[in-house]
Amino acid sequence: GGDAELAQYGIVYIDEVDKIATGGGGGGRGGGGWSGRQVQSNFLKIMEETEVSLQSGLAASLGNVFGGGSAEGQTISTKFMLFIFSGAFNSLNDRIKDRVESGKIGFLIDEEAGQAPTALSGAAASRAPTGSAKGARSYLHLAETSDFVEAGLEPEFIGRIPVRVAVNALDANDLYQILTTAEDSIIKQYEYEFDGYGIQLKTEPSALRCVAEMATEEKTGARALVTILERSLRDFKFELPSTTSSELTLSTGLLTDPRATLDELLCTPERAAADLQQWIEELERNSNVRVELADDVRARVVRDCAEARSSAEALLERRFRASGVVDGLRRIHEATEGKVAFFSINMAMYEHPEEEIVKWQQSLAGLGSKDT
């Protein structure tokens, strides 16, 4: 809010600090640009009690262009600011594990080796790894200054961060709670998206549990929920809105094989018949051309949808629009000044659309020449 006095008691949060590490464990950048050591050095300057100018070169340029109050000469003190750094440090856990495991002697047996663990107490218990037996065991809470230095942080930098906390990875139960209880849950966002197309998205509790378990395998935290759901529902978002579908259920079967579930949903006889009628009605609204399919043609469309595992809309678009039939019917309608506006599609037109539409146009041309 522009209150410099209040800002002096604020919190500065910097994420992905492992990206500025200079060692192999941090992933700091090399080559051109700022090096990790330079960035850390600059942080050191403001982490100590110092006065920081509020007028940067960029801010000065913008101020000259757009006007506004000048902060020239104004500074704030960092003495009472709280600096919080966070980072993944992907390889740090393995480094700590190697150090801790190498120090085990005698009766400290590795639980991962399949042997019964020995109860620990006191200092030994504080050095035990955290995490369930089913998931990856975390040693991050045992991190020491030397571990961060080996990961690429400068001793002067990490030395100014005395309080260190290891955050446990989200497990399937955590991700399930995020899905079902978060105010801005990704599930609610998908429900809103489908509702915009007149489709009600329903979810089965077992499917949400499955999503959480699949997301755990991704090892990217809560972002994995979006990955799993987008991968599973992407085709439904593109194909269902053009059909008569009004409901979709997120089930374990859908998560296991989204394509098969979509094909089954689109090509059922009832769905194919309803989508066929919708395609005819939309063609009439958009082209002013009335089309009717003979009963045997309708039955053939439904059967072909089931065999090709395709929606009626996709099949009819390929059969009649891509082959030029729709454009041909529109040209006949225009050539007759609207006198011919109704067309009955027979089996010959369905099976050989390109040949038949040429015959229809030629017949119309022949009638025109006789009239003259």
Side-chain angles (χ1 to χ4, degrees), residues 237-298:
K237 290 196 298 182
F238 285 113
E239 298 196 33
L240 286 189
S242 60
T243 70
T244 57
S245 298
S246 59
E247 182 179 301
L248 173 64
T249 300
L250 180 64
S251 63
T252 54
L254 185 153
L255 294 169
T256 302
D257 194 342
R259 187 71 245 180
T261 302
L262 178 59
D263 290 342
E264 183 179 352
L265 182 63
L266 293 177
C267 64
T268 60
E270 297 79 10
R271 179 69 59 211
D275 290 347
L276 184 155
Q277 185 60 39
Q278 177 176 285
W279 185 85
I280 292 175
E281 293 172 358
E282 289 185 355
L283 178 64
E284 181 176 349
R285 285 195 299 270
N286 298 331
S287 306
N288 295 322
V289 173
R290 296 177 56 199
V291 172
E292 180 58 43
L293 274 66
D295 291 342
D296 60 336
V297 176
R298 286 176 176 264

Side-chain angles (χ1 to χ4, degrees), residues 142-161:
L142 303 176
E144 298 177 354
T145 298
S146 60
D147 297 315
F148 290 105
V149 173
E150 290 182 15
L153 294 181
E154 296 298 312
E156 298 82 2
F157 178 78
I158 190 62
R160 286 169 172 78
I161 308 176

Side-chain angles (χ1 to χ4, degrees), residues 77-369:
S77 172
T78 63
K79 179 178 180 179
F80 298 106
M81 285 186 179
L82 173 62
F83 288 86
I84 301 176
F85 297 89
S86 65
F89 292 95
N90 293 320
S91 64
L92 189 60
N93 191 67
D94 291 337
R95 179 181 287 108
I96 301 172
K97 178 181 178 181
D98 292 340
R99 173 172 57 78
V100 173
E101 295 293 335
S102 64
K104 286 186 176 182
I105 58 174
F107 57 85
L108 292 179
I109 301 173
D110 189 357
E111 185 178 347
E112 290 180 345
Q115 303 179 35
T118 300
L120 304 177
S121 61
S126 67
R127 298 180 64 81
T130 61
S132 64
K134 293 182 179 179
R137 301 166 69 191
S138 174
Y139 292 79
L140 294 177
H141 66 293
L142 303 176
E144 298 177 354
T145 298
S146 60
D147 297 315
F148 290 105
V149 173
E150 290 182 15
L153 294 181
E154 296 298 312
E156 298 82 2
F157 178 78
I158 190 62
R160 286 169 172 78
I161 308 176
V163 181
R164 302 153 194 173
V165 178
V167 180
N168 293 329
L170 297 174
D171 61 18
N173 290 328
D174 298 325
L175 294 175
Y176 179 77
Q177 291 298 319
I178 292 174
L179 270 179
T180 56
T181 63
E183 183 177 350
D184 56 346
S185 169
I186 185 62
I187 283 293
K188 294 180 180 179
Q189 296 178 35
Y190 274 99
E191 290 175 349
Y192 179 79
E193 286 185 33
F194 278 100
D195 186 64
Y197 296 108
I199 301 172
Q200 182 182 11
L201 176 63
K202 297 182 178 180
T203 57
E204 297 178 353
S206 60
L208 295 181
R209 179 68 64 178
C210 184
V211 170
E213 292 173 353
M214 295 170 69
T216 304
E217 297 299 321
E218 294 284 322
K219 301 185 186 303
T220 56
R223 295 184 183 92
L225 296 173
V226 181
T227 302
I228 298 300
L229 289 172
E230 182 64 22
R231 185 167 62 207
S232 301
L233 297 174
R234 182 188 301 116
D235 290 341
F236 292 86
K237 290 196 298 182
F238 285 113
E239 298 196 33
L240 286 189
S242 60
T243 70
T244 57
S245 298
S246 59
E247 182 179 301
L248 173 64
T249 300
L250 180 64
S251 63
T252 54
L254 185 153
L255 294 169
T256 302
D257 194 342
R259 187 71 245 180
T261 302
L262 178 59
D263 290 342
E264 183 179 352
L265 182 63
L266 293 177
C267 64
T268 60
E270 297 79 10
R271 179 69 59 211
D275 290 347
L276 184 155
Q277 185 60 39
Q278 177 176 285
W279 185 85
I280 292 175
E281 293 172 358
E282 289 185 355
L283 178 64
E284 181 176 349
R285 285 195 299 270
N286 298 331
S287 306
N288 295 322
V289 173
R290 296 177 56 199
V291 172
E292 180 58 43
L293 274 66
D295 291 342
D296 60 336
V297 176
R298 286 176 176 264
R300 175 69 177 275
V301 170
V302 172
R303 186 171 69 252
D304 287 351
C305 285
E307 293 178 355
R309 310 294 292 176
S310 172
S311 67
E313 183 205 21
L315 188 146
L316 292 170
E317 285 291 304
R318 291 194 303 268
R319 183 75 64 170
F320 295 127
R321 195 178 298 277
S323 63
V325 170
V326 172
D327 289 337
L329 297 180
R330 187 183 295 110
R331 285 193 292 269
I332 293 176
H333 174 72
E334 294 172 353
T336 60
E337 297 180 351
K339 295 179 181 179
V340 178
F342 180 80
F343 303 90
S344 179
I345 304 299
N346 54 26
M347 189 60 71
M349 177 65 79
Y350 180 79
E351 293 181 340
H352 309 286
E354 296 178 353
E355 298 175 8
E356 289 298 311
I357 191 61
V358 171
K359 292 180 180 178
W360 285 23
Q361 291 174 314
Q362 290 176 344
S363 298
L364 177 64
L367 291 175
S369 60

